[in-house]
Amino acid sequence: MSQSAARNLGPATALTCRECGESYDLGPRYACELCFGPLEVSYDHADVTREQIESGPRNIWRYRGLLPVPTNVVDTPNTEPGFTRLVRADNLAESLGLRSLWVKDDSGNPTHSFKDRVVAVALAAARELGFKVLACPSTGNLANAVAAAAARAGIRSAVFVPSDLERQKIVTTAVYGGTFVTVDGNYDDVNRLASEIAGEQEDWAFVNVNVRPYYAEGSKTIGYEIAEQLGWRLPEQIVIPIASGSQLTKIDKAFQEFIKLGLVEDRPYKIFGAQATGCSPVSAAFKAGLDVVQPVKPATIAKSLAIGNPADGPYVLDAVRRTGGAIEDVSDEEVVDSIALLARTEGIFGETAGGVTLGSLRKLLAGGALDPEAETVFINSGDGLKTLDAVAPVAVPSANIAPTIEAFRKAGLA
């Protein structure tokens, strides 16, 4: 791996510790040498205008002037994720008693989840930093995105997942032909293993380990797109799923950047978090009034959110409390019911993470935390085809009949 200090990473200027503020040159770092706090990318943004953004490609690279990627990123082979639909959910809003509701549907990305965004940014940075292999520990969606992105870029991938992962996500990773390893253990076990391997394989870029500061910035593009698609304004309320917690904190960062750049009006917004009850350490900490998140052992059908020791947990608590939001969690039964509700009201088949987010929205609304009169957005982060087993027991045919009109009439289907 090249150790050159010359980095073409666009407006990115340094890596800064989120705890003590120590600054480091751009490079393959992810933890502060002084306090071991996490590092994040700092920028010197040039003037960025709405017109510049609108004239860019209809993918995340329209925001390349706000991301830690090379200036020529548009010209390099990548999956070109982003600019997914923001769907006005009037039918769902009416059923819930909300005045205005939108679904940011990230199932439209190349491998059908928001992970394509973060991987595209990680890949662009990793190549600039001299890495040769794109790798990750994953709960499924990230595995899909890494394997696909590496194949598109013509480099090797190495992916590690829990062995009890949904069959659909195993198939949709293995098909890309990279190195694919299942591990006996949960995600936190897999993540620990990946961290050890990253220490030995110096030319392997584990997107969510040793290049995590760059990878995490990809989630900002969800926030950018929501603001742009709403007509250059921020929603009053947004509900976001929590796995590691990075998506939530980076959407908040995106809103703050747009405000500072004068791209949107500076007005209050509330951020709400969503977890599955079977893996809800951040929700539990929020409800208990704690600043520390206690790790848990995951037990939920929402495997893409099953991170028992979320790296960004404390920062999620900060963002939610600062904006006046809240964090809720829902049972597996509520997850399935919410997946079905979204499908039958809006024609969107979300994966279990989407069911967690909508289920938590419903619970937050019923408990009075969400304002029914405020413009609300929630994230559907992946495609329901990836988690078919979760809804298979309730998604069944209305009837099975003989191929005759008499059988149709007798079944009372008219």
Side-chain angles (χ1 to χ4, degrees):
M1 184 179 62
S2 171
Q3 295 298 317
S4 171
R7 312 292 191 193
N8 174 12
L9 290 173
T13 57
L15 297 176
T16 304
C17 179
R18 294 167 79 173
E19 290 296 322
C20 74
E22 183 71 10
S23 184
Y24 298 89
D25 290 340
L26 294 170
R29 301 173 181 268
Y30 61 99
C32 178
E33 294 177 3
L34 297 181
C35 72
F36 304 106
L39 302 180
E40 73 170 0
V41 181
S42 296
Y43 299 91
D44 180 10
H45 290 130
D47 291 336
V48 178
T49 67
R50 293 179 182 180
E51 291 73 24
Q52 287 173 339
I53 292 172
E54 290 170 342
S55 66
R58 291 182 64 83
N59 56 52
I60 64 171
W61 305 135
R62 68 199 286 113
Y63 309 109
R64 61 190 178 278
L66 301 168
L67 297 170
V69 297
T71 52
N72 65 340
V73 67
V74 174
D75 303 319
T76 59
N78 64 86
T79 58
E80 301 179 356
F83 222 72
T84 55
R85 301 184 303 162
L86 182 68
V87 180
R88 188 177 181 94
D90 289 340
N91 296 332
L92 179 57
E94 183 178 359
S95 72
L96 296 178
L98 284 166
R99 180 184 62 83
S100 177
L101 180 63
W102 302 82
V103 184
K104 181 58 173 171
D105 184 16
D106 249 24
S107 67
N109 276 308
T111 67
H112 308 289
S113 88
F114 91 95
K115 291 294 188 181
D116 289 311
R117 299 172 179 273
V118 290
V119 169
V121 174
L123 171 62
R127 294 175 106 177
E128 181 65 19
L129 296 174
F131 289 100
K132 305 300 182 185
V133 178
L134 198 68
C136 71
S138 173
T139 57
N141 286 328
L142 182 58
N144 293 173
V146 164
R152 172 73 178 131
I155 64 174
R156 180 185 170 194
S157 66
V159 171
F160 302 81
V161 303
S163 55
D164 67 348
L165 195 65
E166 297 99 336
R167 179 64 181 168
Q168 293 87 354
K169 290 178 182 174
I170 289 177
V171 171
T172 52
T173 298
V175 72
Y176 294 108
T179 299
F180 182 39
V181 181
T182 59
V183 179
D184 292 332
N186 60 31
Y187 173 78
D188 297 300
D189 297 320
V190 178
N191 192 44
R192 281 192 294 272
L193 173 62
S195 297
E196 293 175 14
I197 296 172
E200 294 186 355
Q201 304 295 327
E202 293 187 355
D203 62 348
W204 286 28
F206 278 87
V207 297
N208 50 345
V209 182
N210 54 356
V211 291
R212 183 177 178 84
Y214 310 96
Y215 156 92
E217 293 292 283
S219 285
K220 294 193 305 182
T221 60
I222 303 173
Y224 296 153
E225 288 176 18
I226 289 170
E228 183 180 352
Q229 290 170 321
L230 285 175
W232 297 103
R233 71 173 188 274
L234 303 181
E236 295 172 275
Q237 304 177 142
I238 184 167
V239 187
I240 305 169
I242 299 169
S244 72
S246 179
Q247 183 185 119
L248 186 149
T249 61
K250 294 304 180 181
I251 289 176
D252 178 47
K253 185 176 181 180
F255 288 173
Q256 290 297 312
E257 287 179 347
F258 265 23
I259 290 170
K260 291 177 183 176
L261 290 165
L263 296 172
V264 297
E265 178 186 349
D266 185 359
R267 69 175 192 178
Y269 60 88
K270 292 184 178 182
I271 293 181
F272 297 84
Q275 291 202 293
T277 300
C279 185
S280 54
V282 189
S283 176
F286 177 82
K287 292 175 180 178
L290 301 175
D291 296 325
V292 177
V293 176
Q294 297 293 332
V296 300
K297 185 175 181 179
T300 173
I301 60 171
K303 295 185 185 299
S304 62
L305 302 182
I307 297 180
N309 188 17
D312 275 31
Y315 306 107
V316 167
L317 294 171
D318 291 344
V320 168
R321 287 169 176 157
R322 190 193 78 245
T323 62
I327 304 174
E328 190 51 88
D329 57 89
V330 287
S331 68
D332 286 353
E333 292 76 13
E334 290 171 301
V335 171
V336 173
D337 185 65
S338 293
I339 292 172
L341 176 63
L342 178 59
R344 69 175 179 263
T345 56
E346 298 298 341
I348 297 172
F349 184 18
E351 71 159 12
T352 48
V356 167
T357 311
L358 177 54
S360 294
L361 183 157
R362 296 167 74 183
K363 205 165 179 179
L364 289 161
L365 183 63
L370 275 174
D371 180 359
E373 295 300 313
E375 183 172 56
T376 306
V377 175
F378 77 92
I379 312 295
N380 176 50
S381 55
D383 195 319
L385 293 174
K386 294 188 175 194
T387 55
L388 290 173
D389 291 348
V391 294
V394 299
V396 296
S398 301
N400 180 51
I401 63 172
T404 65
I405 190 65
E406 290 80 7
F408 169 75
R409 291 169 180 162
K410 186 176 181 180
L413 300 172

